[in-house]
Amino acid sequence: MDMKEDINLTKELKNILLKEGADLVGVGNLSELPKSVRYNLPIGIAVAIKYPKAVIQGISELPTQEYRNWYGLLNEQLDNLVTIGATFLQKKGYQAIAKTRKQVGYYGEDCITELPHKTIATRTGIGWIGKSALLITKQYGSMVRISSILTDAPLIPSKSINQSLCGSCTICQSACPAKAIYGMLWNTSVKREQLFDYQKCRKMAQLRSEKGFGKPEDLCGKCIEVCPYTKRYIKQK
């Protein structure tokens, strides 16, 4: 396959995923990551879907049932999208793994996966990791859910984002009900536990979700709602 065919394949894949409902699709080079966590596949594809504006506006005080519903719905849509993308590449003759919720699984009390979707997303250039430890995109802030695909297809990667663009902003840190955010700027050498206290975050999220919609689940969303990039998108007409 020559460069022109590589570009066409990349465009075709992105167009399929965007047509099926993705809001952002990025391709990245994962070769710097350990082979074991990426199944010896060199390319990652990140897929993001945004929440409706009204849903995020609605969680300014407490998480809502509507927010909970959309959280589940977007996860289902992402599983479907990455499956569509992986199937497309497989039919073209390439290896492709859809990192659905079932495929990823859960690891330990802190729910850390071997290769987070967020890591792949930064390699594709669609966003960076904020002080809240969430992926932040220029287009939609952190009001997105994300998933990913691993492949050996000769897709054209975009430039990765290797450090935070949050600068001196401390809005999410100040707004965090659990006081779980440390305020550290992310780069590719920073680990998740250096950014926030997961257990503090989780306990407060369960308290807030029980107040908000009657069930103690790991849903809060305050750092999503207050992020300036999120606010900027919501204000757009």
Side-chain angles (χ1 to χ4, degrees):
M1 181 175 284
D2 61 25
M3 179 61 72
K4 184 177 180 181
E5 290 174 315
D6 294 351
I7 292 171
N8 288 340
L9 180 64
T10 304
K11 286 182 177 179
E12 188 175 1
L13 173 65
K14 286 184 176 182
N15 287 338
I16 288 170
L17 293 173
L18 292 168
K19 184 178 179 181
E20 291 292 334
D23 290 303
L24 295 172
V25 180
V27 175
N29 186 340
L30 306 182
S31 60
E32 293 183 357
L33 302 177
K35 291 182 179 180
S36 59
V37 302
R38 54 182 171 85
Y39 299 89
N40 202 24
L41 298 173
I43 296 293
I45 302 151
V47 182
I49 310 179
K50 67 181 183 296
Y51 285 96
K53 292 180 179 181
V55 172
I56 300 304
Q57 288 175 306
I59 61 172
S60 61
E61 297 300 325
L62 286 170
T64 62
Q65 181 64 46
E66 185 180 29
Y67 176 58
R68 178 177 182 259
N69 292 344
W70 274 95
Y71 180 90
L73 178 62
L74 295 187
N75 285 339
E76 290 177 8
Q77 291 177 352
L78 285 165
D79 279 351
N80 182 55
L81 281 169
V82 295
T83 300
I84 288 171
T87 300
F88 165 77
L89 293 172
Q90 290 162 1
K91 288 181 177 179
K92 292 286 187 178
Y94 303 107
Q95 295 183 67
I97 297 173
K99 286 174 63 65
T100 61
R101 286 170 293 169
K102 183 177 180 181
Q103 194 279 333
V104 171
Y106 297 94
Y107 296 85
E109 292 184 358
D110 288 348
C111 292
I112 295 176
T113 62
E114 290 183 317
L115 180 54
H117 299 309
K118 290 182 289 188
T119 299
I120 296 174
T122 65
R123 301 303 84 207
T124 72
I126 70 169
W128 66 94
I129 309 301
K131 293 178 182 178
S132 61
L134 294 175
L135 182 79
I136 299 178
T137 67
K138 286 185 177 180
Q139 296 92 330
Y140 309 117
S142 52
M143 56 179 282
V144 294
R145 298 294 301 159
I146 55 173
S147 190
S148 55
I149 303 167
L150 302 175
T151 186
D152 62 355
L155 304 175
I156 306 299
S158 298
K159 185 179 179 180
S160 64
I161 296 179
N162 299 319
Q163 59 186 16
S164 175
L165 301 181
C166 293
S168 61
C169 179
T170 58
I171 290 174
C172 67
Q173 182 183 17
S174 299
C176 177
K179 304 302 178 187
I181 298 172
Y182 301 137
M184 185 174 185
L185 282 170
W186 167 84
N187 62 54
T188 54
S189 65
V190 171
K191 297 181 184 297
R192 191 186 76 163
E193 57 266 27
Q194 293 176 271
L195 296 172
F196 84 129
D197 185 320
Y198 173 78
Q199 291 300 336
K200 274 188 177 182
C201 173
R202 184 182 187 187
K203 288 176 183 177
M204 181 57 71
Q206 291 175 348
L207 287 172
R208 284 170 56 77
S209 63
E210 188 163 26
K211 287 182 181 180
F213 55 82
K215 294 185 179 180
E217 298 187 4
D218 297 354
L219 291 173
C220 173
K222 189 60 182 177
C223 54
I224 297 173
E225 186 262 331
V226 300
C227 176
Y229 285 92
T230 300
K231 293 281 193 184
R232 185 176 67 183
Y233 170 68
I234 288 176
K235 289 178 181 178
Q236 293 174 2
K237 294 182 179 180

